[in-house]
């Protein structure tokens, strides 16, 4: 029989550590948001990936519906409708997050965007966050506190309400 780690994970040697991540190497990272001073669960805790993705899908769908309505009304072609959908998504993300701390999707999913000190994000940081979000890649790169590069650039975090 192998070591306790090998028996527990089915992996041995350096591959066990590499494939298992830093936790299998004995490094304890804590829960998401711990190093930010946020609670582990409940109101004010860092929001999980699932609810954030659902909120994003709702916001994108809403923007697409509005763009489709405008395209039909004004006779826009497919390319114009696509750009309008992106613009509507960006506008709603910027304005609603900057003024209220939530988009419609985030509101429905019980999420809020706040600065790390708990204050509202505001229109300037919301604009920076939204512009990076529109590039998609920064939103796909997350840290251990579930913050994408767009959140880190705006010194913000998405929390549960």
């Amino acid at each position: 029989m192998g070591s306790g780690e090998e028996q527990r994970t089915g992996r041995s040697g350096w591959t066990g550590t590499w494939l298992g991540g830093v936790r299998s190497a004995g490094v304890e990272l804590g829960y998401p948001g711990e190093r930010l001073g946020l609670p582990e669960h409940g109101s004010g805790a860092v929001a999980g990936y699932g609810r954030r993705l659902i909120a994003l899908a709702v916001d994108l769908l809403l923007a697409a519906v509005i763009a489709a309505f405008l395209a039909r009304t004004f006779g826009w072609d497919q390319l114009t409708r696509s750009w309008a959908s992106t613009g509507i998504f960006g506008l709603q993300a910027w304005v609603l997050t900057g003024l209220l701390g939530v988009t419609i999707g985030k509101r429905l999913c019980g999420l809020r965007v706040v600065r790390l000190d708990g204050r509202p994000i505001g229109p300037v940081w919301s604009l920076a966050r939204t512009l990076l979000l529109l590039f998609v890649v920064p939103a796909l790169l997350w840290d251990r506190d579930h913050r994408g590069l767009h959140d880190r650039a705006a010194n913000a975090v998405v929390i549960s309400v």
Side-chain angles (χ1 to χ4, degrees):
M1 287 266 136
S3 69
E5 174 67 16
E6 182 180 348
Q7 290 174 351
R8 186 173 60 85
T9 65
R11 300 181 190 120
S12 63
W14 68 271
T15 58
T17 301
W18 178 71
L19 293 174
V22 294
R23 284 198 168 86
S24 67
V27 177
E28 181 53 48
L29 298 176
Y31 63 85
E34 181 176 21
R35 63 189 183 146
L36 302 175
L38 300 174
E40 184 172 4
H41 301 290
S43 182
V46 171
Y49 300 124
R51 288 185 13 205
R52 287 184 73 165
L53 289 174
I54 291 170
L56 177 63
V58 168
D59 292 335
L60 288 170
L61 182 63
L62 180 62
V65 167
I66 293 169
F69 173 76
L70 292 173
R72 180 169 290 223
T73 302
F74 297 112
W76 294 342
D77 63 2
Q78 187 72 19
L79 181 62
T80 304
R81 185 176 80 180
S82 179
W83 280 108
S85 181
T86 302
I88 291 166
F89 170 77
L91 184 65
Q92 72 141 346
W94 171 45
V95 172
L96 294 176
T97 302
L99 297 178
L100 304 174
V102 296
T103 61
I104 294 169
K106 283 184 177 57
R107 176 73 174 144
L108 292 174
C109 291
L111 305 175
R112 176 174 300 282
V113 180
V114 295
R115 306 248 326 160
L116 292 180
D117 60 8
R119 293 182 303 152
I121 189 170
V124 174
W125 287 112
S126 179
L127 178 61
R129 184 180 184 276
T130 300
L131 290 174
L132 287 172
L133 182 61
L134 290 174
F135 284 110
V136 179
V137 174
L140 296 176
L141 302 174
W142 299 61
D143 66 10
R144 69 183 192 196
D145 293 313
H146 297 193
R147 294 171 63 212
L149 291 179
H150 63 301
D151 291 322
R152 293 178 60 98
N155 203 26
V157 64
V158 179
I159 60 170
S160 298
V161 180

